[in-house]
Amino acid sequence: MSMKKPVKKTCHSKETGQRNQGLLSGFILLIATLLLVACSVERPHSILDPAGPAAGHIATLWWQMFWVYAVVFIVTLSLLTLALRSRRREGSPMGSRFVFAAGVAIPALILVGMLILTLQTMDNLQATAEDLNVKVISHHWWFEVQYPEQGVVDANEIHVPVGSMVRFELSAAGVIHSFWVPRLGGKRDMLPDYYTELYLQADEPGVYHGTCTEYCAGVHALMGFRLVAHEPEDFSRWLEQAADPPPPPVEPQLQRGQEVFMRSGCAGCHTIKDVAPGTLGPDLTLIGGRRTLGAGTLENSRGNLAGWIANAQALKPGNEMPMSYLEPGDLHALVDYLWSLQ
Ligand code: CUA
């Protein structure tokens, strides 16, 4: 004998409605939190905080795309909601003509419009005349910076004058890297045996974060640099000072530091103008004035510099700097000497 189970009546539409409302509130809360976080934190890599004309053009295009696609998203979701709520009717007047307009014609118009805006932006990014030439060569995993006309070589830090168009000649020693200063402009690949060009201008004095933006194995994520934009007269002063070789140390502690540098293997890999000719690692002629160590890995301080010399592998695994086994007095003298080079 079969018995029919009593059918339990539930109010599905009410439950679903409550669940949807809960989801919507959660979604709005998430967006509000993300917006609050985005507004309150420092954003050195944000393309939406442009500080030069090239980045300005890119940010404008980003906002144009954002608003157009936001409208498309809202209209599409509204139509979907409408379709789910309405009953199916045979011979609806919104038939194939509507599908063609909303599914083919309007998207095609929007995409062509976006293409035109993108091409216009690419045209705006073209520059032909420069005020300063800077050569940047990427290595495993750091940036060599040369001012060929002024005979200055630096590493992981680029100095430029505010309001001047700078032509960057970019290349790589080894694998492909990519050069990007998000607040000043777009990205450009750095290729071995070939050079690419990028024109950037900073409108405001400041320190801008730059980064390698092409996966180059190993510690790619710790391959960064700083671009320092100075007022023109401050830049001229910096360049003039940087072109001079460092004066020979006079204080006994600095003399000891230079002596440690020469006998402990540092000179085999690093250049100090008129002191040591090594070319494997970054040029240290201006190391004391740099803002970071290890290509943006650490803030440059005496403590960090001592830690870096003692065991750079612990701070940036896989870089080419070996551990050193200096006695504390020698290490301090070396740090004092390097710190004096600026
Ligand atoms: Cu160099 Cu990624």
Side-chain angles (χ1 to χ4, degrees):
M1 194 176 123
S2 69
M3 276 182 67
K4 262 191 179 175
K5 264 190 174 174
V7 179
K8 197 179 169 189
K9 277 196 176 174
T10 51
C11 185
H12 279 291
S13 59
K14 200 177 169 190
E15 272 177 22
T16 314
Q18 278 171 349
R19 203 180 312 133
N20 285 349
Q21 259 185 350
L23 276 176
L24 189 66
S25 313
F27 183 66
I28 290 170
L29 196 68
L30 177 72
I31 296 289
T33 313
L34 285 176
L35 281 174
L36 274 176
V37 169
C39 292
S40 60
V41 294
E42 206 191 323
R43 295 167 298 159
H45 294 105
S46 175
I47 62 158
L48 301 181
D49 192 9
H57 292 304
I58 292 170
T60 305
L61 180 67
W62 192 94
W63 282 112
Q64 286 164 340
M65 287 186 164
F66 175 81
W67 288 117
V68 169
Y69 296 135
V71 170
V72 169
F73 180 71
I74 291 165
V75 169
T76 310
L77 280 197
S78 307
L79 288 175
L80 180 67
T81 313
L82 207 68
L84 290 173
R85 292 175 76 120
S86 58
R87 290 194 181 165
R88 190 188 171 87
R89 272 173 290 170
E90 292 298 325
S92 161
M94 282 164 62
S96 54
R97 234 184 302 165
F98 175 76
V99 171
F100 176 77
V104 180
I106 295 175
L109 274 176
I110 291 173
L111 288 175
V112 169
M114 283 296 135
L115 178 68
I116 292 169
L117 288 176
T118 306
L119 292 175
Q120 265 174 0
T121 304
M122 286 170 71
D123 192 47
N124 289 336
L125 294 180
Q126 300 293 332
T128 45
E130 71 272 6
D131 305 307
L132 176 71
N133 273 301
V134 179
K135 242 172 125 170
V136 185
I137 304 155
S138 52
H139 296 263
H140 250 70
W141 287 269
W142 58 281
F143 295 91
E144 180 181 340
V145 183
Q146 299 179 0
Y147 302 78
E149 285 131 46
Q150 292 80 12
V152 172
V153 180
D154 203 348
N156 305 318
E157 193 160 296
I158 302 166
H159 295 257
V160 301
V162 153
S164 294
M165 186 56 79
V166 183
R167 174 183 166 270
F168 288 96
E169 189 184 306
L170 308 169
S171 60
V175 301
I176 299 174
H177 304 260
S178 188
F179 181 90
W180 191 30
V181 189
R183 293 192 59 209
L184 295 186
K187 305 168 181 180
R188 188 70 86 243
D189 275 355
M190 308 177 87
L191 311 169
D193 306 322
Y194 187 78
Y195 77 85
T196 50
E197 288 177 327
L198 182 67
Y199 288 82
L200 295 179
Q201 179 182 315
D203 286 340
E204 296 287 332
V207 180
Y208 299 97
H209 286 228
T211 184
C212 174
T213 179
E214 172 98 27
Y215 179 65
C216 50
V219 275
H220 153 75
L222 294 180
M223 185 172 174
F225 62 94
R226 297 289 183 270
L227 187 147
V228 187
H230 303 268
E231 292 293 358
E233 56 274 20
D234 293 339
F235 173 74
S236 304
R237 211 175 305 127
W238 176 86
L239 198 59
E240 215 173 286
Q241 209 177 322
D244 288 337
V250 181
E251 284 177 45
Q253 172 77 346
L254 302 185
Q255 285 173 342
R256 179 179 173 183
Q258 190 185 62
E259 191 257 323
V260 173
F261 184 87
M262 296 307 287
R263 78 168 144 81
S264 304
C266 315
C269 295
H270 294 281
T271 292
I272 293 175
K273 205 172 190 177
D274 287 3
V275 176
T279 53
L280 198 64
D283 190 302
L284 299 180
T285 309
L286 301 165
I287 177 74
R290 278 184 213 147
R291 279 144 186 85
T292 68
L293 293 170
T297 304
L298 293 169
E299 193 193 323
N300 190 8
S301 65
R302 278 167 190 263
N304 284 345
L305 186 53
W308 180 266
I309 295 167
N311 189 0
Q313 294 303 320
L315 301 163
K316 183 169 174 173
N319 85 86
E320 314 237 335
M321 172 111 168
M323 283 174 82
S324 62
Y325 300 93
L326 296 172
E327 59 133 311
D330 281 350
L331 180 60
H332 285 139
L334 180 57
V335 168
D336 287 340
Y337 170 63
L338 292 176
W339 197 255
S340 74
L341 303 173
Q342 30 189 305

mmCIF file of all heavy atoms in Angstrom, residues 177 212 214-216 220 223, ligand 1:
data_model
loop_
_atom_site.group_PDB
_atom_site.id
_atom_site.type_symbol
_atom_site.label_atom_id
_atom_site.label_comp_id
_atom_site.label_asym_id
_atom_site.label_seq_id
_atom_site.Cartn_x
_atom_site.Cartn_y
_atom_site.Cartn_z
ATOM 1 N N HIS A 177 63.029 42.079 -19.938
ATOM 2 C CA HIS A 177 62.398 42.718 -18.785
ATOM 3 C C HIS A 177 61.450 43.785 -19.344
ATOM 4 O O HIS A 177 61.359 43.952 -20.557
ATOM 5 C CB HIS A 177 63.437 43.384 -17.879
ATOM 6 C CG HIS A 177 64.508 42.454 -17.391
ATOM 7 N ND1 HIS A 177 64.509 41.895 -16.145
ATOM 8 C CD2 HIS A 177 65.626 41.982 -18.001
ATOM 9 C CE1 HIS A 177 65.573 41.128 -15.991
ATOM 10 N NE2 HIS A 177 66.268 41.160 -17.105
ATOM 11 N N CYS A 212 59.858 46.376 -12.765
ATOM 12 C CA CYS A 212 59.932 45.486 -13.920
ATOM 13 C C CYS A 212 58.555 44.849 -14.045
ATOM 14 O O CYS A 212 58.013 44.348 -13.071
ATOM 15 C CB CYS A 212 60.987 44.411 -13.704
ATOM 16 S SG CYS A 212 61.010 43.175 -15.019
ATOM 17 N N GLU A 214 57.653 42.565 -16.584
ATOM 18 C CA GLU A 214 57.656 41.366 -17.435
ATOM 19 C C GLU A 214 58.303 40.270 -16.605
ATOM 20 O O GLU A 214 59.412 40.483 -16.096
ATOM 21 C CB GLU A 214 58.487 41.636 -18.697
ATOM 22 C CG GLU A 214 58.719 40.435 -19.570
ATOM 23 C CD GLU A 214 57.753 40.372 -20.743
ATOM 24 O OE1 GLU A 214 57.266 41.432 -21.176
ATOM 25 O OE2 GLU A 214 57.490 39.255 -21.196
ATOM 26 N N TYR A 215 57.630 39.149 -16.451
ATOM 27 C CA TYR A 215 58.202 38.096 -15.603
ATOM 28 C C TYR A 215 59.564 37.673 -16.147
ATOM 29 O O TYR A 215 59.679 37.269 -17.302
ATOM 30 C CB TYR A 215 57.260 36.889 -15.526
ATOM 31 C CG TYR A 215 57.852 35.804 -14.671
ATOM 32 C CD1 TYR A 215 58.064 36.014 -13.314
ATOM 33 C CD2 TYR A 215 58.250 34.590 -15.221
ATOM 34 C CE1 TYR A 215 58.647 35.043 -12.523
ATOM 35 C CE2 TYR A 215 58.828 33.613 -14.435
ATOM 36 C CZ TYR A 215 59.023 33.844 -13.086
ATOM 37 O OH TYR A 215 59.607 32.883 -12.307
ATOM 38 N N CYS A 216 60.609 37.815 -15.307
ATOM 39 C CA CYS A 216 61.973 37.551 -15.762
ATOM 40 C C CYS A 216 62.638 36.498 -14.879
ATOM 41 O O CYS A 216 63.841 36.532 -14.677
ATOM 42 C CB CYS A 216 62.766 38.847 -15.781
ATOM 43 S SG CYS A 216 62.638 39.788 -14.244
ATOM 44 N N HIS A 220 61.849 38.359 -9.775
ATOM 45 C CA HIS A 220 61.211 39.397 -10.610
ATOM 46 C C HIS A 220 60.445 40.402 -9.751
ATOM 47 O O HIS A 220 60.479 41.610 -10.002
ATOM 48 C CB HIS A 220 60.282 38.704 -11.609
ATOM 49 C CG HIS A 220 59.130 39.523 -12.080
ATOM 50 N ND1 HIS A 220 59.266 40.543 -12.989
ATOM 51 C CD2 HIS A 220 57.814 39.485 -11.737
ATOM 52 C CE1 HIS A 220 58.075 41.086 -13.202
ATOM 53 N NE2 HIS A 220 57.189 40.475 -12.453
ATOM 54 N N MET A 223 62.347 43.510 -8.351
ATOM 55 C CA MET A 223 63.139 44.261 -9.328
ATOM 56 C C MET A 223 62.433 45.597 -9.570
ATOM 57 O O MET A 223 61.556 45.701 -10.420
ATOM 58 C CB MET A 223 63.254 43.454 -10.629
ATOM 59 C CG MET A 223 64.152 44.126 -11.639
ATOM 60 S SD MET A 223 64.453 43.078 -13.062
ATOM 61 C CE MET A 223 65.351 44.224 -14.103
HETATM 62 CU CU1 CUA B 1 62.984 41.955 -14.627
HETATM 63 CU CU2 CUA B 1 60.849 41.067 -14.253
#
